[in-house]
Amino acid sequence: QVQLVESGGGLVQPGESLTLSCAASVTVFVGIAMGWYRQAPGKQRELVATIATTGNTRYADSVKGRFTISRDNAKNTVYLQMNSLKPEDTSVYYCNARVPFSGDVWGPGTQVTVSS
């Protein structure tokens, strides 16, 4: 079974950058589509970015040009580089894995707070 653990969250000021990491406990990471989602208090979970097994990426309009999702298959890790952070980016960020047969697997989340 796949297990996910996010790291890299923290408190930053507007305009600064932060990089999140998601380590997956899986042997065939290369064959799993990955993504980042976020959920702020009182709001529904929303997609931030996804990366397919082919390397193709998708981004929410709100983060296009600022965030970059990438994966290192040798390390079974997916990253989310976040630049030019805004207060509205404040949220709990969750790593997602779309595992064949098993369906979606989620990490416990990591808090990102953007504030002056």
Side-chain angles (χ1 to χ4, degrees):
Q1 176 70 324
V2 177
Q3 294 182 1
L4 306 175
V5 180
E6 304 96 338
S7 63
L11 173 64
V12 297
Q13 295 184 325
E16 294 185 335
S17 299
L18 202 61
T19 299
L20 305 181
S21 299
C22 172
S25 300
V26 60
T27 302
V28 289
F29 177 79
V30 65
I32 302 175
M34 304 291 296
W36 286 97
Y37 294 73
R38 65 187 182 187
Q39 186 169 21
K43 300 185 66 177
Q44 291 204 292
R45 183 172 57 192
E46 63 177 347
L47 180 145
V48 176
T50 61
I51 183 165
T53 57
T54 60
N56 290 345
T57 59
R58 291 280 189 179
Y59 298 92
D61 289 340
S62 60
V63 306
K64 285 182 179 177
R66 299 190 298 120
F67 291 11
T68 302
I69 187 172
S70 62
R71 62 192 297 161
D72 186 336
N73 292 330
K75 296 181 178 180
N76 290 357
T77 302
V78 63
Y79 304 93
L80 183 68
Q81 181 180 331
M82 305 181 292
N83 298 325
S84 302
L85 283 163
K86 306 174 181 179
E88 51 263 44
D89 293 320
T90 296
S91 187
V92 176
Y93 284 71
Y94 297 93
C95 183
N96 167 266
R98 180 144 289 187
V99 183
F101 181 78
S102 298
D104 289 321
V105 176
W106 300 90
T110 185
Q111 178 72 46
V112 173
T113 302
V114 185
S115 177
S116 298

